[in-house]
């Protein structure tokens, strides 16, 4: 109360407060409508509703599914300037060297169901988490689906990103534009020749039309980065010497989110970083303690607008020093002169 005294409410006050609270919270009536019904001012209604909360006559609970962490999600969104951040509870049996928990893909599938609208163009990049997401898709508005990268191994296309694109297009009832080519080629001339092949060129034509994209993030170590595993030991050592901390869609980043090793992109079948930056909504799906630093590096790049991760990675990211400028919504390149 305004006097600071917790005076006891009489039976009449209790009944009136309960009735007003029912009208407001359960029947969605406005304060003006309630005031008219009870013959009081709307300011009186506001005071009664406030008192009902103070006296525990009304209790408001914000509840989300147990596997989602609302507090960490909001903190992560604010810290990195993301449009959306969804933090999923890490599996109790998770171990430090595990890949992305599969439940990330399930939550990401639900998020895409919210973000994709009728007529959009959905882009999917190669990654275990995006493949899990595509498998978990149950509903999508009618949209076109395009593959944003080549595959890790052309021989496993039917079990990887090509199948993910087909699956998403089937759920959406839209066209599918897969890429039947490896992600990494021996040299830039071979990659350039493949980009001009009819099917691949058709997929590339859709890159500028993509409105929502789903990507994976890898840390620079065996089994956690597709690109790392595809390179020779000498090439890995070279890019390590440049300070690579993360990779996403065959683009390499240092710990500050600056792109490095740009020559690698010339050998890859992948969406260019500049095109990726122009996509209105880019959702990254990555989690686990081993990927936490890599996730932070990619978030600083400004290429990602939304993130689905787990509590293990979120705790690491939230314990870091303040990340400085929040680039995800600014969509500007933090360092266009990074070393190559």
């Amino acid at each position: 109360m305004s006097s600071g005294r917790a005076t006891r409410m009489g039976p009449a006050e209790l009944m009136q407060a309960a009735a007003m609270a029912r009208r407001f919270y359960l029947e969605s009536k406005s304060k003006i409508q309630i005031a008219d019904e009870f013959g009081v001012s709307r300011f009186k209604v506001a005071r009664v509703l406030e008192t009902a909360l103070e006296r525990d006559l009304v209790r408001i609970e914000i509840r989300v599914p147990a596997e989602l962490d609302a507090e960490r999600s909001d903190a992560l969104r604010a810290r990195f300037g993301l449009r959306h951040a969804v933090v999923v509870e890490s599996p109790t049996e998770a171990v430090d060297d595990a890949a992305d928990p599969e439940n990330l893909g399930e939550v990401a599938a639900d998020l895409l169901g919210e973000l994709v609208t009728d007529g959009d163009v959905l882009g999917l990049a190669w990654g275990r988490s995006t493949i899990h997401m595509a498998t978990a898709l149950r509903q999508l508005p009618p949209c076109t689906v395009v593959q944003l990268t080549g595959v890790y191994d052309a021989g496993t296309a039917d079990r990887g990103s090509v199948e993910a694109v087909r699956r998403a297009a089937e759920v959406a009832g839209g066209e599918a534009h897969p890429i039947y080519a490896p992600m990494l080629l021996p040299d830039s001339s071979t990659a350039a020749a493949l980009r001009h092949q009819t099917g691949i060129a058709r997929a590339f034509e859709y890159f500028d039309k993509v409105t929502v994209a789903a990507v994976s993030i890898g840390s620079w170590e065996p089994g956690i980065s597709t690109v790392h595993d595809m390179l020779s030991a000498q090439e890995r050592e070279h890019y390590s010497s440049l300070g690579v901390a993360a990779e996403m869609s065959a683009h390499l980043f240092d710990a500050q989110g600056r792109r490095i090793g740009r020559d690698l992109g010339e050998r890859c079948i992948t969406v260019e970083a500049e095109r990726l930056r122009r996509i209105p909504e880019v959702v990254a799906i990555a989690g686990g303690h081993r990927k936490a630093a890599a996730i932070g590096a990619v978030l600083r790049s400004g290429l990602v607008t939304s993130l689905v991760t787990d509590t293990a990675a979120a705790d690491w990211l939230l314990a870091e020093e303040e990340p400085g400028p929040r680039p995800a919504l600014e969509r500007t390149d933090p360092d266009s002169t990074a070393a190559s």
Side-chain angles (χ1 to χ4, degrees):
M1 305 292 286
S2 58
S3 65
R5 297 193 300 268
T7 57
R8 183 180 179 183
M9 296 178 73
E13 286 181 298
L14 280 170
M15 293 304 98
Q16 184 185 64
M20 288 184 176
R22 176 175 293 278
R23 304 291 193 280
F24 186 74
Y25 291 107
L26 299 183
E27 299 176 11
S28 300
K29 290 190 175 181
S30 70
K31 292 175 183 176
I32 293 176
Q33 289 174 312
I34 298 170
D36 289 343
E37 179 182 346
F38 286 87
V40 298
S41 71
R42 61 186 177 89
F43 302 105
K44 165 78 171 182
V45 173
R47 287 196 298 272
V48 171
L49 293 174
E50 183 179 348
T51 301
L53 285 171
E54 291 174 351
R55 302 301 179 83
D56 278 343
L57 190 61
V58 172
R59 296 183 182 182
I60 298 176
E61 292 183 326
I62 300 173
R63 306 179 73 178
V64 297
E67 69 271 15
L68 303 183
D69 192 303
E71 185 176 350
R72 286 182 174 94
S73 297
D74 188 55
L76 205 58
R77 179 200 57 76
R79 189 177 185 87
F80 287 94
L82 298 166
R83 290 203 183 97
H84 307 281
V86 183
V87 176
V88 181
E89 192 70 33
S90 298
T92 55
E93 69 277 9
V95 293
D96 287 342
D97 61 350
D100 298 320
E102 288 193 22
N103 59 344
L104 294 187
E106 297 170 2
V107 173
D110 290 339
L111 179 60
L112 280 192
E114 291 184 76
L115 298 180
V116 175
T117 59
D118 194 345
D120 274 349
V121 176
L122 172 62
L124 299 182
W126 194 96
R128 296 178 184 89
S129 56
T130 52
I131 291 171
H132 290 153
M133 179 208 68
T135 302
L137 283 172
R138 295 294 177 266
Q139 183 175 334
L140 275 179
C143 65
T144 298
V145 185
V146 60
Q147 193 169 322
L148 296 179
T149 64
V151 298
Y152 175 35
D153 180 351
T156 62
D158 286 342
R159 301 191 302 276
S161 48
V162 170
E163 181 56 32
V165 169
R166 288 173 173 164
R167 165 66 182 165
E170 179 183 359
V171 173
E175 295 181 3
H177 294 276
I179 293 177
Y180 296 96
M183 181 188 294
L184 179 66
L185 282 303
D187 52 65
S188 58
S189 59
T190 304
L194 275 178
R195 291 189 198 102
H196 285 92
Q197 287 191 356
T198 303
I200 298 173
R202 186 178 299 115
F204 268 65
E205 289 173 359
Y206 274 90
F207 286 179
D208 288 328
K209 303 175 185 177
V210 174
T211 49
V212 180
V215 300
S216 296
I217 296 173
S219 56
W220 196 245
E221 53 182 309
I224 311 295
S225 164
T226 300
V227 173
H228 180 282
D229 292 346
M230 288 191 291
L231 294 172
S232 67
Q234 183 178 2
E235 289 171 325
R236 291 185 205 125
E237 184 177 350
H238 164 66
Y239 292 117
S240 295
S241 70
L242 298 179
V244 60
E247 72 85 0
M248 179 182 69
S249 302
H251 300 295
L252 308 183
F253 305 87
D254 68 9
Q256 286 71 48
R258 295 172 297 207
R259 287 182 57 216
I260 60 177
R262 296 181 184 227
D263 59 310
L264 181 65
E266 298 176 3
R267 297 171 49 195
C268 292
I269 303 297
T270 186
V271 60
E272 301 93 326
E274 292 72 21
R275 278 175 157 173
L276 197 60
R277 193 181 302 281
R278 292 195 293 268
I279 297 174
E281 188 72 75
V282 179
V283 180
I285 313 162
H289 189 269
R290 287 179 66 183
K291 281 194 176 183
I295 295 169
V298 172
L299 291 182
R300 294 185 189 94
S301 75
L303 292 175
V304 168
T305 61
S306 298
L307 174 69
V308 177
T309 190
D310 68 344
T311 51
D315 285 343
W316 192 96
L317 291 165
L318 293 171
E320 277 194 300
E321 294 182 5
E322 285 296 330
R326 302 186 304 173
L329 298 186
E330 296 169 4
R331 308 293 281 174
T332 56
D333 195 336
D335 188 353
S336 60
T337 60
S340 61

